[in-house]
Amino acid sequence: IPQMEFHYPPYLLENYEELIRADRYPACFRIIPQLPSFLLHSWLSTLQVERFENKTQQIEKYLHEYNQDWEYAFFITLARNFGFGVNSDTLELWAMSVPLASVNKHRDNLYQIEAFFFGQAGQQPSSDCRWRFLRLRPGKFPQIRIAQLACLYHRSQGLFSQLMEAESVNELRNLLKGGTSEYWLTHYTFGIPSPSHPKTISQSSTDLLIINTVIPFLYAYGKHKSNDALCLRATKLLEELKPENNYIIRMWKECGLEASHAGDSQALIQLKKNYCDLKKCLYCRIGYEYFKKKEI
C-alpha cells in the first residue's frame, strides 16, 4: 500500500544524470564560477578538517600496530612521504622493517645508521627490484632518499618532540633540512662515482613533508592529548604554506576554484579523491547547488 509519493521537478533528475554521466572532469565545472565565494570557502574548510581526520585514522592505525609508539609511527609516515609518490609504498614497507630501537643505540654514529638503513633496504651493494628508478632524476633515487633520512635521523635527537613544539613554518623547515654523509656527495648509487654535488632537499619538497607528515601528526597528537591549541596550530601552519602544485590543484584552478594556501589545496585533493572520484555528488555542496539549478 503506497504510504508516500515523492514529487520532484524534472530538472533535478536531469541535472543528476548529467553529473553522473559527464565526460568532462569534474562534472560540475560549469557551475563553479557561478557559486558565491563564501559557500566555496565554507566547503573547503569542511574538507580540510575531513582530510585531517582521514590522516589521523592512518596515524592511529600505525600507533595501534606499534604499541602507541609515536616516534615509530612518525618515522614510518615520514619515510613514506620521502618517496614523494614514486617510491612511497616501498619506503613505507622498508620503514616498517627497520629495528628503530636498535638504531637508537647508534644514533650518534651516522655511518652505523646508514649501515642499518641500507642493509635493511637491500641496497648494499645490490638494489631491491621493488625500488623504482624509471624517469627519476638521480637526486631523487631511493639511495639518496635513504641517505637523507639517515642524516636527518642522526642530526636530530628527539626530532618528533622538536617538530611538535615548533611554532612557525621556518622552524619546521630548519628541523627538516636535509643532507647526506660525505660519501653521497660524489655518488648517486653505490660504487659509481659522480661529480661532487650536495644532495639537499629543496624547500618545496620540505614543505610537502611538512604538509603531509608534520602537520597531520600535530593535529593527531592534539586530538590524542585533547589539546585544541595543537590542532589550531596545525591549521594555522597549513594556511601559512603555499598551495601544492600538482595536476589536481591545476585542474580545479582551470574550473575557477583556486587554492589560496596549502589548507585549500589539501581540501581540493580531498574533494577529488573522496567525492568526485567516487561520484558522491549528492554529498557534495557543489553538487547540491548543481541540482538546484533549473538551467545550467
Side-chain angles (χ1 to χ4, degrees), residues 10 58 60 73 100 111 125 138-139 144 151 162 166 170 182 215 219-220 252:
Q58 181 59 53
E60 289 174 345
L100 206 58
Y111 179 79
I144 300 300
C151 188
Q162 293 181 57
N170 284 335
E182 187 175 350
I215 291 177
Y219 183 88
W252 286 115

Side-chain angles (χ1 to χ4, degrees), residues 31 66 80 88-89 102 112 137 159 186 231 241 278-279:
I31 198 177
Y66 296 99
R80 175 178 178 81
S88 292
D89 290 342
S102 298
Q112 291 183 11
R137 294 180 179 178
L159 178 62
T186 55
C231 296
L241 287 160
L278 302 178
K279 295 288 187 180

Side-chain angles (χ1 to χ4, degrees), residues 8-163:
Y8 56 87
Y11 70 82
L12 187 64
L13 181 59
E14 292 171 4
N15 290 354
Y16 176 75
E17 290 179 344
E18 183 176 338
L19 279 176
I20 297 302
R21 298 174 182 173
D23 295 330
R24 173 76 184 267
Y25 194 96
C28 59
F29 72 97
R30 286 194 291 162
I31 198 177
I32 291 175
Q34 306 171 27
L35 298 177
S37 60
F38 75 88
L39 183 148
L40 294 173
H41 287 307
S42 173
W43 184 218
L44 290 180
S45 296
T46 300
L47 290 167
Q48 180 183 320
V49 175
E50 279 188 18
R51 188 142 179 89
F52 269 141
E53 294 295 336
N54 286 357
K55 291 188 175 183
T56 296
Q57 290 176 10
Q58 181 59 53
I59 292 169
E60 289 174 345
K61 179 182 175 183
Y62 289 146
L63 290 169
H64 177 73
E65 292 176 357
Y66 296 99
N67 299 316
Q68 300 300 308
D69 188 332
W70 283 87
E71 185 178 354
Y72 206 169
F74 181 80
F75 176 71
I76 293 169
T77 307
L78 182 64
R80 175 178 178 81
N81 290 323
F82 251 81
F84 294 98
V86 178
N87 281 298
S88 292
D89 290 342
T90 308
L91 273 170
E92 180 182 29
L93 291 172
W94 165 80
M96 289 176 174
S97 72
V98 171
L100 206 58
S102 298
V103 178
N104 279 334
K105 299 175 182 178
H106 306 275
R107 199 156 183 172
D108 60 342
N109 189 314
L110 179 54
Y111 179 79
Q112 291 183 11
I113 293 175
E114 284 192 344
F116 269 104
F117 281 15
F118 284 112
Q120 201 67 29
Q123 294 283 359
Q124 193 176 11
S126 61
S127 63
D128 190 312
C129 63
R130 293 176 301 175
W131 299 103
R132 296 173 60 186
F133 294 84
L134 187 63
R135 290 190 292 274
L136 271 184
R137 294 180 179 178
K140 298 180 181 179
F141 280 180
Q143 293 98 326
I144 300 300
R145 293 306 189 196
I146 292 175
Q148 291 168 338
L149 275 168
C151 188
L152 177 62
Y153 198 72
H154 164 69
R155 180 173 57 83
S156 304
Q157 297 285 344
L159 178 62
F160 176 74
S161 297
Q162 293 181 57
L163 290 168

Side-chain angles (χ1 to χ4, degrees), residues 244-255:
E244 295 145 277
N245 180 20
N246 55 47
Y247 79 96
I248 296 176
I249 308 308
R250 292 192 293 271
M251 175 197 73
W252 286 115
K253 184 177 180 180
E254 291 175 1
C255 297

